[in-house]
């Protein structure tokens, strides 16, 4: 995600993919963080378990901003246990209306065993109709690969790993160092 100020470097890097298939939900994230044309770190961990392991979250964008949002999401999940949609909508509402949160530059991909949501700072809480969602620099590549692989015999985790490998072959800001969590 690019910084808006000229005093900051042009940071890129991350591909996060969520897949829901045959009762399994998986979020996979690559580990690459790049600054301009340089890889700064290759094994960053951008996928987390929340709510006692019942919710998965992956993030793209500014790391400190993403951690702030994940902390807020965890508080919403405590406030609304087992209500992922409500927690995500409430987070998006706060993110859009709170003066401090409005400046955060990140996106979240959040899932439980039944649902996947993309949550953005402009108030979007989007649930994919196809069981596949992606964010980040290589998100469109991973999304296309994931959608193409949905009709194959691959299970959710294998499908996510293969789609991420395809994205890594195409997007220079994506690598094959994956963190994969499943429910």
């Amino acid at each position: 995600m690019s910084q808006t100020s000229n005093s900051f470097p042009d940071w890129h890097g991350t591909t996060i993919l969520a897949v829901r298939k045959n009762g399994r939900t998986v979020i996979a994230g690559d580990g690459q963080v790049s600054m301009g044309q340089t890889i700064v770190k290759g094994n960053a961990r951008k996928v987390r378990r929340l709510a006692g392991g019942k919710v998965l979250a992956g993030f793209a964008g500014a790391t400190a901003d993403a951690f702030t949002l994940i902390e807020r999401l965890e508080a919403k999940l405590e406030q609304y246990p087992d209500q992922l949609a409500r927690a995500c909508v409430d987070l998006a509402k706060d993110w859009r209306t709170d003066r401090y949160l409005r400046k955060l530059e990140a996106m979240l991909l959040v899932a439980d065993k039944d649902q996947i949501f993309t949550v953005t700072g402009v108030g979007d809480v989007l649930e994919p109709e196809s069981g596949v969602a992606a964010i980040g620099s290589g998100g469109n590549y991973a999304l296309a690969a994931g959608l193409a692989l949905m009709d194959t015999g691959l299970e959710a985790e294998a499908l996510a790993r293969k789609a991420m490998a395809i994205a890594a072959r195409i997007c220079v800001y994506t690598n094959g160092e994956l963190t994969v969590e499943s429910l």
Side-chain angles (χ1 to χ4, degrees):
M1 180 168 235
S2 297
Q3 299 291 332
T4 56
S5 170
N6 289 333
S7 64
F8 289 99
D10 188 20
W11 290 91
H12 287 279
T14 268
T15 301
I16 305 293
L17 174 69
V19 175
R20 176 150 171 61
K21 185 175 179 185
N22 298 333
R24 300 286 296 170
T25 302
V26 174
I27 294 186
D30 79 317
Q32 186 162 307
V33 177
S34 304
M35 182 172 54
Q37 297 177 6
T38 303
I39 297 170
V40 178
K41 185 171 182 170
N43 63 347
R45 193 172 185 284
K46 304 168 199 166
V47 177
R48 303 270 190 269
R49 285 185 169 272
L50 310 174
K54 294 190 280 185
V55 173
L56 305 175
F59 64 86
T63 305
D65 293 356
F67 284 152
T68 299
L69 292 168
I70 286 175
E71 287 173 8
R72 295 284 182 125
L73 177 61
E74 282 187 295
K76 298 294 182 188
L77 290 166
E78 287 176 17
Q79 186 177 355
Y80 306 116
D82 300 321
Q83 298 180 60
L84 182 60
R86 185 170 182 186
C88 288
V89 167
D90 215 41
L91 174 65
K93 184 171 63 173
D94 289 353
W95 192 355
R96 184 169 180 174
T97 58
D98 183 277
R99 181 172 285 162
Y100 166 73
L101 294 177
R102 211 176 316 151
K103 297 178 183 185
L104 299 182
E105 295 184 8
M107 290 180 74
L108 298 177
L109 205 52
V110 183
D112 64 11
K113 62 183 178 58
D114 299 314
Q115 303 166 303
I116 298 171
F117 295 105
T118 302
V119 185
T120 74
V122 295
D124 294 323
V125 178
L126 306 169
E127 185 174 16
E129 57 188 42
S130 60
V132 181
I135 58 174
S137 300
N140 287 337
Y141 305 113
L143 177 63
L147 289 170
L149 294 169
M150 281 298 277
D151 292 333
T152 68
L154 293 173
E155 291 299 320
E157 184 171 334
L159 189 153
R161 287 181 181 280
K162 186 164 188 160
M164 290 293 288
I166 291 168
R169 290 182 60 196
I170 299 168
C171 177
V172 297
Y173 299 113
T174 303
N175 71 14
E177 292 286 326
L178 299 181
T179 300
V180 179
E181 295 284 352
S182 64
L183 298 171

